[in-house]
Amino acid sequence: MASFVSLDSLSGTTSADAMREALSTSGCKSSACGSSAGPGDMPAELWNRIKDHPCYSEEAHHYFARMHVAVAPACNIQCNYCNRKYDCANESRPGVVSEKLTPDQAFRKVVTVANEVPQLSVLGIAGPGDALYDWRKTKATFELVSREIPDIKLCISTNGLALPDHVDELVDMNIDHVTITINMIDPLIGTKIYPWIFYDHKRYTGLVASQILHERQMLGLEMLAERGILVKVNSVLIPGINDQHLIEVNAAVKARGAFLHNIMPLISDPAHGTHFGLTGQRGPKHAELMAVQEACSGGANLMRHCRQCRADAVGLLGEDRGQEFTLDQIPAEVAYDPSIRSTYREVVARERQDHVAAKQEATEVLDLTDSDARILVAVATKGGGRVNQHFGHAKEFQVYEASAEGVRFIGHRKVEDAYCQGGFGEDATLDSVMKTLEGIDTVLCAKIGDCPQEQLKAAGIAASDAFAFEYIETAISALYASRYGRALQARVA
Ligand code: CLF
Ligand code: SF4
């Protein structure tokens, strides 16, 4: 995965100015989605609750990191896209079994990460089973950590079955962000997704299982919304099973007070050993995912920057530093040093002001255009909201739609085999990147060689490094205006 704000460059710095310098030359990615709303779009109290949460605010994910601790392996339902030998597919990319942690081990890991990753703002428990079914360990972990690092945000992901039983405790523990995975509101559709549930000491199958799950999910969502907890709903888009149905899910969760809706593509592979993987159920194509997301616009706000991270992920969204913090690397005794995180926050506050001003200028540039053209622009970025990554190093691209109405974040696309494996190899294959860039009009990056630029051009995709290190919105609006506007000089090759 691509790294966003360069943690390497920041973690060694001790002064605010040094951090700011590092941010402006590395920075994060993207900008704008349903979670893209900024301080001007919502009450200050609400903005303060999401502004440092990389999942709830698309803008925040440029700057802040989450970490998951895998303390909750047990689960009370079976999803057809999950194999318990792998990480929870709701909130993680399927992979080999996570290192399961006890609450004490998790505590030491969080403190170690907080001392080394200044961007850390959220501690999430997202499995690998269900955080609420395995509540004892989830609760013990949160208690230990919040005592030592009181300003860390606590976040939970759940399938919702056990949720209504824990709402009071969630409120008491100041757990302000809860994700419920809701894949259906029609239990008949649920029968194609959930073979069984375990509820109230009993196992249920078929329609009854899905009916109970559905009722508990809706009840839990309503209870949380009533208590003012910010609820994100995750839905796994399963072509042929719930794709069109997710539009109804979106409306239903909005009506019950969900803050965000995250529609994620099914990840299905026979190698994962899941029911869907083994029976050939495919995941959606880029265009299918986008079509469902577009059909939901006007409903519950959409999150589009989810990376379907692992249940033990560490770092900014889109990067995984988990391997740097395995148990054998965690000290037996830990002491929290708050200075590095607080210095980082000062730096980010200033950088964000610059970014807001840049976005405003970008909007003014687009106001000079009167075209009805809409183009998709893919950006290679490693953080800070800037065009700052070499084309050949990009393991994913941020995709934006540019029009006279503005620059809109659409989502990210992963490159299965990064074009450049360690250097700018002219003979490296572009096949995988081409597939990733299907439907893209222009690629913006910090640097691109003549050879890949020519090959992209032959495939009808323009590529430019003329906007290197500029904010993404600044770059895209200038690109758009240079093509369709009257005011700017073209700067694109
Ligand atoms: Fe973790 Fe989930 Fe909290 Fe984020 S992840 S528990 S809300 S802190 Fe975020 Fe990862 Fe997507 Fe989840 S990118 S999979 S939405
Ligand atoms: Fe797997 Fe998560 Fe579903 Fe449980 S809720 S079966 S852990 S995907």
Side-chain angles (χ1 to χ4, degrees):
M1 302 291 293
S3 65
F4 288 0
V5 175
S6 163
L7 294 170
D8 291 344
S9 63
L10 290 183
S11 54
T13 56
T14 50
S15 75
D17 285 345
M19 283 192 185
R20 192 168 195 283
E21 171 67 22
L23 257 182
S24 66
T25 54
S26 61
C28 171
K29 315 186 165 200
S30 80
S31 191
C33 72
S35 51
S36 68
D41 305 313
M42 64 182 74
E45 184 270 335
L46 189 53
W47 173 244
N48 279 333
R49 288 166 69 193
I50 67 161
K51 71 179 173 46
D52 298 346
H53 197 306
C55 304
Y56 279 68
S57 160
E58 191 275 336
E59 201 249 357
H61 101 278
H62 296 301
Y63 306 109
F64 289 103
R66 52 76 185 102
M67 72 175 290
H68 292 160
V69 285
V71 294
C75 192
N76 47 358
I77 70 173
Q78 178 64 58
C79 305
N80 279 335
Y81 46 74
C82 178
N83 176 354
R84 297 270 157 70
K85 289 183 192 148
Y86 289 79
D87 293 335
C88 172
N90 279 342
E91 283 272 325
S92 64
R93 217 170 31 251
V96 287
V97 176
S98 310
E99 205 171 44
K100 290 172 201 151
L101 305 179
T102 64
D104 177 65
Q105 289 167 332
F107 165 73
R108 287 188 284 117
K109 181 171 178 175
V110 177
V111 173
T112 305
V113 172
N115 286 342
E116 292 184 33
V117 179
Q119 296 93 337
L120 182 67
S121 62
V122 176
L123 169 63
I125 297 185
D130 186 78
L132 290 180
Y133 182 57
D134 230 340
W135 174 241
R136 207 173 40 80
K137 283 182 261 170
T138 297
K139 184 178 177 193
T141 303
F142 279 160
E143 282 174 346
L144 286 169
V145 172
S146 54
R147 221 174 286 147
E148 186 76 6
I149 313 176
D151 71 332
I152 200 163
K153 282 190 187 305
L154 305 177
C155 193
I156 262 187
S157 171
T158 175
N159 61 45
L161 185 59
L163 175 58
D165 303 331
H166 296 288
V167 170
D168 287 342
E169 284 173 291
L170 293 173
V171 173
D172 290 347
M173 293 179 68
N174 200 22
I175 296 171
D176 202 25
H177 298 76
V178 174
T179 295
I180 316 171
T181 298
I182 300 178
N183 297 317
M184 54 83 196
I185 53 167
D186 176 351
L188 254 186
I189 291 176
T191 59
K192 298 176 188 162
I193 304 171
Y194 306 105
W196 58 260
I197 68 166
F198 188 77
Y199 173 64
D200 205 14
H201 310 290
K202 210 174 142 192
R203 189 178 158 108
Y204 295 86
T205 58
L207 194 58
V208 185
S210 288
Q211 182 70 40
I212 295 170
L213 180 62
H214 165 60
E215 284 169 10
R216 300 284 289 174
Q217 288 176 335
M218 295 298 119
L219 176 63
L221 168 56
E222 283 169 1
M223 290 172 77
L224 290 175
E226 213 167 86
R227 307 294 287 270
I229 290 178
L230 294 175
V231 184
K232 174 163 67 62
V233 168
N234 280 0
S235 298
V236 181
L237 194 163
I238 310 162
I241 292 185
N242 70 351
D243 34 6
Q244 291 310 306
H245 181 58
L246 288 185
I247 300 164
E248 291 167 52
V249 172
N250 181 274
V253 301
K254 180 183 183 184
R256 288 170 176 80
F259 178 73
L260 266 184
H261 189 196
N262 173 24
I263 300 177
M264 316 185 292
L266 170 72
I267 300 172
S268 181
D269 187 320
H272 301 154
T274 64
H275 174 79
F276 281 153
L278 294 172
T279 54
Q281 171 64 52
R282 69 173 178 89
K285 300 187 174 109
H286 294 310
E288 290 171 327
L289 178 63
M290 271 175 65
V292 174
Q293 289 175 333
E294 285 309 306
C296 290
S297 60
N301 282 338
L302 291 183
M303 174 188 186
R304 295 177 195 255
H305 61 284
C306 174
R307 298 304 197 284
Q308 293 175 276
C309 35
R310 298 170 54 95
D312 56 2
V314 175
L316 293 154
L317 304 192
E319 72 174 4
D320 190 359
R321 297 184 65 189
Q323 288 311 307
E324 295 170 44
F325 300 99
T326 50
L327 261 187
D328 54 322
Q329 301 174 78
I330 304 294
E333 298 289 330
V334 290
Y336 174 52
D337 171 7
S339 63
I340 187 162
R341 287 179 66 241
S342 61
T343 305
Y344 178 77
R345 274 153 200 267
E346 286 171 31
V347 174
V348 165
R350 275 188 276 152
E351 178 76 5
R352 276 177 140 174
Q353 281 174 8
D354 285 357
H355 199 169
V356 167
K359 283 186 192 173
Q360 180 55 38
E361 282 169 23
T363 306
E364 286 162 13
V365 166
L366 288 172
D367 281 346
L368 297 173
T369 67
D370 54 8
S371 168
D372 54 9
R374 288 180 184 275
I375 56 169
L376 291 182
V377 180
V379 179
T381 170
K382 54 182 180 171
R386 295 175 189 263
V387 181
N388 58 6
Q389 191 170 41
H390 287 216
F391 175 76
H393 297 170
K395 292 180 182 163
E396 66 172 33
F397 291 92
Q398 301 293 302
V399 178
Y400 291 79
E401 183 191 71
S403 71
E405 290 155 26
V407 176
R408 190 166 69 108
F409 178 69
I410 298 289
H412 70 284
R413 294 191 190 174
K414 287 179 196 166
V415 181
E416 292 308 327
D417 305 304
Y419 169 60
C420 181
Q421 311 284 353
F424 254 91
E426 293 290 315
D427 55 352
T429 174
L430 263 176
D431 289 355
S432 178
V433 186
M434 292 291 197
K435 211 169 133 207
T436 305
L437 294 175
E438 212 173 70
I440 297 294
D441 179 274
T442 302
V443 176
L444 298 181
C445 54
K447 182 87 185 144
I448 184 166
D450 294 341
C451 178
Q453 196 169 29
E454 284 305 315
Q455 288 183 48
L456 285 171
K457 195 173 168 191
I461 302 169
S464 173
D465 52 19
F467 301 97
F469 302 106
E470 293 199 18
Y471 281 119
I472 291 169
E473 295 83 0
T474 308
I476 295 178
S477 60
L479 166 76
Y480 188 88
S482 71
R483 253 193 232 165
Y484 305 107
R486 299 181 295 265
L488 294 188
Q489 297 294 318
R491 283 198 284 162
V492 183

